[in-house]
Amino acid sequence: MDEMTRLREFRDDAPAPDRAALAPGRRRLAEAAAPGRRPRHPWAQRRTVAVVAAAALTVAAVLGTRLWDAAPDRSGPASATGPLRLESAAEVLNRAADTLERLPTPPEPLDHQWIYTRTTNLSAVGSSDGTAPSTISNTSDSWVPYDNSAAAKHGKDTDYRTARQVYRAANALPADPEQLLASVRRLYPTGHTAESPPEARAQHSFRAVSLVVQTYPITPAALARVYRAMATIPGVRVTGHLVKDAAGREAVAITRREDGSHEQREILLDPRSFDYVGQRFVVAEDYTLRYPGEKVQQPGPRYRAGQVTLSEARIAGAVVDRKGQKP
């Protein structure tokens, strides 16, 4: 059995906190890079998916060590309620919430445990002559303490929250969508500097919600409430067909155009279980990148509508008892 086949046997159940904002550094870093035994703990990943762009995003927590079930058939979306229609984001997200609300809740991980993740990251860089972009790929393993208080206190990433922080904050989120979104915006405040300027409310809500959704663990009931609130954010849509994540798997794309940007952010969900499986940043319109502050404007990279600039996919994740341990 090859490594990827073994990894696909795992199923993960949601996100890891990471720096997902489209900061200028993310683009600059991407362009600079261009020229065993079965787990024993009750949290387990129901899907093999999620990611973090190698040069710009921070991989954080994903929990689980006992498999909830076998790897699903990915031949297409299916459910007891019939085929999944990709026409309305609200319909998809509310159906996802209905599915999650029927799932049991495993106990919270212990403070001494570690979050193991294996992620695949893809970034594409446009070319000045309009030819096909070059792609950078990276797969890596990570171990992060569930209670990573030291990193949260002394880290430089203002969007970083420990897995324990988000788990407990998510459990406390209200059911009312408007109140939930306000709580999530407080959890992940908007910027207030020239480098990280303030966001409009809808933009802020979608970014903050995406950070919560990526965190693992998050209880099914909490994730269901977040999905219902996400459906109310202005500008949120669903792509009318399944897309591919960084690991080549089919996923539902919940999208929103980034304010003041040529790109849209896509939150990727499994078409059967509705688990979070990754995210992508996709070019929404043709454009040529311009570098601010340069006296002589050289032709920058060209990007085409539909081009995926960053794609993140979690391959595996588990709660383990020590750093270096794998499920």
Side-chain angles (χ1 to χ4, degrees):
M1 179 183 297
D2 63 72
E3 182 185 32
M4 290 305 296
T5 300
R6 179 173 289 118
L7 289 171
R8 289 192 184 101
E9 291 178 351
F10 291 93
R11 301 193 68 187
D12 63 55
D13 188 79
D18 69 324
R19 180 67 171 174
L22 285 176
R26 180 178 65 79
R27 175 57 56 72
R28 291 196 296 269
L29 285 169
E31 290 168 351
R37 63 183 174 86
R38 296 181 77 82
R40 297 175 289 105
H41 299 297
W43 274 103
Q45 299 205 306
R46 306 187 53 203
R47 257 293 171 240
T48 54
V49 188
V51 312
V52 177
L57 302 177
T58 304
V59 175
V62 176
L63 287 178
T65 41
R66 183 175 60 78
L67 294 179
W68 279 358
D69 49 27
D73 175 12
R74 301 192 62 89
S75 59
S79 151
T81 58
L84 180 63
R85 296 188 305 171
L86 302 178
E87 299 174 357
S88 162
E91 180 180 344
V92 171
L93 289 167
N94 283 297
R95 177 166 166 179
D98 291 340
T99 300
L100 290 167
E101 286 171 344
R102 295 193 292 267
L103 298 179
T105 299
E108 181 180 358
L110 302 176
D111 287 350
H112 72 272
Q113 292 183 305
W114 290 72
I115 300 163
Y116 163 71
T117 58
R118 184 171 179 82
T119 60
T120 292
N121 315 310
L122 297 176
S123 59
V125 180
S127 59
S128 58
D129 59 4
T131 57
S134 57
T135 301
I136 305 166
S137 176
N138 178 64
T139 299
S140 61
D141 295 310
S142 175
W143 287 266
V144 179
Y146 176 60
D147 177 23
N148 200 19
S149 301
K153 182 177 181 180
H154 301 294
K156 296 181 180 179
D157 186 348
T158 57
D159 272 352
Y160 182 72
R161 304 290 182 271
T162 70
R164 189 179 72 168
Q165 285 177 314
V166 183
Y167 178 94
R168 295 179 178 180
N171 275 354
L173 289 173
D176 178 77
E178 184 175 350
Q179 294 178 11
L180 185 148
L181 293 177
S183 297
V184 171
R185 289 194 300 269
R186 288 192 295 270
L187 181 63
Y188 293 105
T190 189
H192 58 276
T193 66
E195 180 69 16
S196 180
E199 301 160 289
R201 175 169 292 189
Q203 171 78 14
H204 185 188
S205 294
F206 194 66
R207 178 182 65 83
V209 160
S210 75
L211 291 169
V212 172
V213 169
Q214 292 169 57
T215 306
Y216 189 90
I218 180 172
T219 65
L223 187 58
R225 293 195 298 272
V226 172
Y227 282 169
R228 294 193 194 281
M230 188 191 306
T232 69
I233 299 174
V236 170
R237 299 177 295 106
V238 62
T239 299
H241 56 83
L242 296 180
V243 303
K244 297 289 187 179
D245 71 0
R249 295 164 294 198
E250 292 184 328
V252 175
I254 303 298
T255 77
R256 188 181 185 280
R257 177 75 173 264
E258 296 282 281
D259 293 354
S261 171
H262 300 285
E263 292 185 336
Q264 64 187 33
R265 183 198 303 269
E266 298 184 348
I267 296 175
L268 306 182
L269 307 180
D270 180 86
R272 288 180 177 275
S273 67
F274 299 107
D275 294 330
Y276 168 87
V277 296
Q279 72 170 335
R280 308 193 309 176
F281 291 90
V282 180
V283 178
E285 61 188 5
D286 295 353
Y287 76 101
T288 299
L289 184 66
R290 303 297 181 187
Y291 297 100
E294 294 186 357
K295 294 181 179 180
V296 179
Q297 285 286 334
Q298 300 295 329
R302 297 178 184 175
Y303 294 87
R304 303 294 184 186
Q307 178 183 332
V308 179
T309 58
L310 288 175
S311 185
E312 317 169 341
R314 183 163 54 234
I315 302 302
V319 176
V320 295
D321 291 326
R322 63 183 182 275
K323 185 177 182 180
Q325 180 182 359
K326 293 183 180 181

